[in-house]
Amino acid sequence: MNQLRRLDWSYLYAFLGEVTLALTFVFYIAIARVLGPEEYGIFAAAIALAAILSLFIQFGFPTLINREVAANPIEGPKSTMGFLLLEVLTSIPVLVVLLPLALLLGYQGDGLIICYLAVLSEVARAAKMTLRGTFKGMGWFRAESIAVAIERTATVVIAIAVLFGTKNLIWVMASVVIVRFLDVLGVVYYLNRKLNIWSTLSFNNCLESLKIAYPFAVSGILWILFYQIDLVMIKGMGFNEEAGLYSASYRLLEIFSSLPRVILYVIFTRLARYHANEPEKVPEQIYKATRVLLGGVLPIILVAVCLQKPLVQMVYGAKYIGSIPSLSILLPSLSVSMFGALTQRFLQATGREKTLPKILLITTLTNIAINFILIPRLGGMGAALATLISEIVLCGIGLLIMFRDGYKRVTKRLYAIVLCGLIATGSPSLMLMGLSPVVGIGLMITSLVTILFLFRRQQFLA
C-alpha cells in the first residue's frame, strides 16, 4: 500500500487524457474511408492550415499559463480569463487573413468554407488549451484528463454521426465547432468554482502579457509550421492524392507522438516548479523524463516500426498502402523528436524561451528548403526525409545550448542516446528497403545495449 502511495500517478492521468486522442484518430479514419483519398486530402490540408494559424490565435498563452501557475499556484491562475480574452482578439486578424491565404492555396467554394470552419474550431481549441494549462500548472492532471476525455468523446461521436448522416464535410466541421465552444464554456464554469481565474484588465496589462507571451508565440508558430508545412506544400504543389497518403501516415505518427507528449506535460510543470524553488534538482527531473521516454516510449516506437505495413492495412485498408514509404521514415524520427521537444520544454521552463525562436527558425527554414528539393522528386517520402533531417538539426542545437548552460555530462549522454535510439528504430525500416536482416538486427541490438549502458543513474547524474 505504501508503494502505491509513492507512485507518481501524474503520468498515468496525463496518459489517460491523451489516450482519448485515439477517438480523433478514429474520426479521421472514418472521413478517409467514407470520402476517399482525394477529398480526405483536401480536408487534411485544411486542418493542417488551421493548425498553423491556430498558433497565431494561441500566441503562446497555453504554455505561459502552465509555467506561471506551476511557479506560483496562488497568483498564476488569475491570468486565465485575461489570456482567453486576448486569444479572442488575436483570432480576428487570423480570420481576416484566411480568405486571401486560402484562395492563394487553391481553396474555393466548399473548400473555402471548410477552411473557415477548421479555423473556428481552432479558436475553441486554443481556449481549451489555455484552460488545460491552468489545470496542469496546478498539478490537476486527473481533472485535466477528464476534461479532455469529455470534449473529445462528445466531438467525435457527434461529428461521426453527422458524417454518416450527411456525408458532407461542411456539416461535419460545423458540428465540431459547436461542440468545442460549448465545452469551453463548461470548463470555464468549473474552473471559476475552484480557483480565482479573474484579474483586473487594462490596456497596459494586456500589452505586458503579450510581451511576455511573445517568445512562446513565435516558438509555437514556428513549431507547428515545422510540422504542418509538409502537408500544405504537398497540397500546394498539386499532389492531392499524395497529400491524402502522407496525411494517413502522419495521423498514425500522431498517435505514437502522444506518448512522449504525455511525459513532457508532466515534466514541464515539474521543471518550472523546481527551477523557481529548488533549481539544484533540475538535472534529476531531466533524468526522470529521459528514463520514462526510454522505458515507456522507445520500445513502442520500435514495435510500431516493425509492424508498420500490417498497421496501415488494418487501419486504412489496401488503398493507403502508398503511405508506408513516408511512415517508415516518420516513425523512427520520433526517437529524435521526443528529445528535441524535451530540450524545448527545458528552455521554456527555465526562463530561456527567447532562445527558442532562433532555433526553430533555423529548423523550419531547413525543412522548407529540403521539402522544395525532395517533394517534387519523392512526394510524401521526400517530405518525411525533410522532417527527419530537420528533427536532427533541432535536437542537436537544443542539446548544444543545454551543454553550454552547464549540463555537460547530461548532454553528452543524451547525444549518444539519441543517436543509438535513431539507429535502433531505423533498422527495421532499412531492412524493409533491402538491408540484410543480420546487419539490421545486429545494429538494433547493439544500439539498445549501448543505451542501457549510457543510462546508468550514477553515470548520468555524476
Side-chain angles (χ1 to χ4, degrees), residues 233-263:
M233 290 180 70
I234 292 172
K235 172 66 170 61
M237 292 179 183
F239 299 100
N240 287 341
E241 185 171 351
E242 191 72 23
L245 295 173
Y246 186 78
S247 177
S249 62
Y250 189 81
R251 295 306 170 190
L252 280 171
L253 176 72
E254 280 191 327
I255 292 297
F256 295 101
S257 66
S258 66
L259 297 173
R261 188 162 60 244
V262 165
I263 297 163

Side-chain angles (χ1 to χ4, degrees), residues 203-223:
F203 177 79
N204 289 333
N205 287 341
C206 291
L207 187 61
E208 186 64 25
S209 296
L210 290 171
K211 287 180 180 179
I212 297 173
Y214 173 75
F216 292 95
V218 175
S219 298
I221 291 166
L222 291 172
W223 178 254

Side-chain angles (χ1 to χ4, degrees), residues 193-425:
R193 295 187 62 184
K194 296 288 185 179
L195 298 169
N196 182 3
I197 58 175
W198 300 84
S199 60
T200 303
L201 294 177
S202 67
F203 177 79
N204 289 333
N205 287 341
C206 291
L207 187 61
E208 186 64 25
S209 296
L210 290 171
K211 287 180 180 179
I212 297 173
Y214 173 75
F216 292 95
V218 175
S219 298
I221 291 166
L222 291 172
W223 178 254
I224 200 69
L225 181 64
F226 168 55
Y227 272 104
Q228 299 290 351
I229 195 64
D230 296 355
L231 190 56
V232 174
M233 290 180 70
I234 292 172
K235 172 66 170 61
M237 292 179 183
F239 299 100
N240 287 341
E241 185 171 351
E242 191 72 23
L245 295 173
Y246 186 78
S247 177
S249 62
Y250 189 81
R251 295 306 170 190
L252 280 171
L253 176 72
E254 280 191 327
I255 292 297
F256 295 101
S257 66
S258 66
L259 297 173
R261 188 162 60 244
V262 165
I263 297 163
L264 295 175
Y265 282 158
V266 178
I267 200 62
F268 177 74
T269 299
R270 302 282 170 78
L271 285 172
R273 186 165 295 163
Y274 279 109
H275 180 260
N277 301 290
E278 300 176 87
E280 69 279 1
K281 293 185 178 180
V282 168
E284 174 72 18
Q285 296 304 310
I286 297 174
Y287 172 79
K288 288 181 178 180
T290 307
R291 181 178 62 192
V292 182
L293 287 172
L294 293 177
V297 180
L298 190 64
I300 295 176
I301 298 173
L302 195 55
V303 171
V305 175
C306 293
L307 300 177
Q308 55 188 293
K309 188 172 182 179
L311 187 63
V312 170
Q313 290 177 325
M314 179 182 68
V315 173
Y316 289 107
K319 60 185 176 181
Y320 282 89
I321 202 72
S323 64
I324 291 177
S326 57
L327 184 63
S328 66
I329 298 171
L330 289 175
L331 282 175
S333 75
L334 188 56
S335 65
V336 179
S337 68
M338 63 185 185
F339 286 101
L342 175 60
T343 63
Q344 292 178 67
R345 291 296 191 179
F346 167 81
L347 293 173
Q348 289 175 330
T350 55
R352 277 163 282 190
E353 63 274 3
K354 291 183 179 180
T355 61
L356 271 180
K358 296 178 182 178
I359 301 173
L360 291 169
L361 180 61
I362 294 171
T363 306
T364 303
L365 292 176
T366 300
N367 190 29
I368 292 173
I370 299 175
N371 274 328
F372 268 118
I373 297 171
L374 295 184
I375 288 177
R377 294 172 172 80
L378 301 174
M381 189 175 180
L385 281 170
T387 298
L388 173 60
I389 295 170
S390 303
E391 292 283 12
I392 294 172
V393 172
L394 174 63
C395 185
I397 297 175
L399 289 175
L400 179 61
I401 292 176
M402 287 180 63
F403 181 86
R404 291 178 175 176
D405 284 347
Y407 299 87
K408 295 184 178 180
R409 190 168 188 86
V410 170
T411 306
K412 288 178 181 178
R413 295 291 185 203
L414 289 177
Y415 269 122
I417 287 171
V418 170
L419 176 60
C420 291
L422 179 59
I423 294 172
T425 56

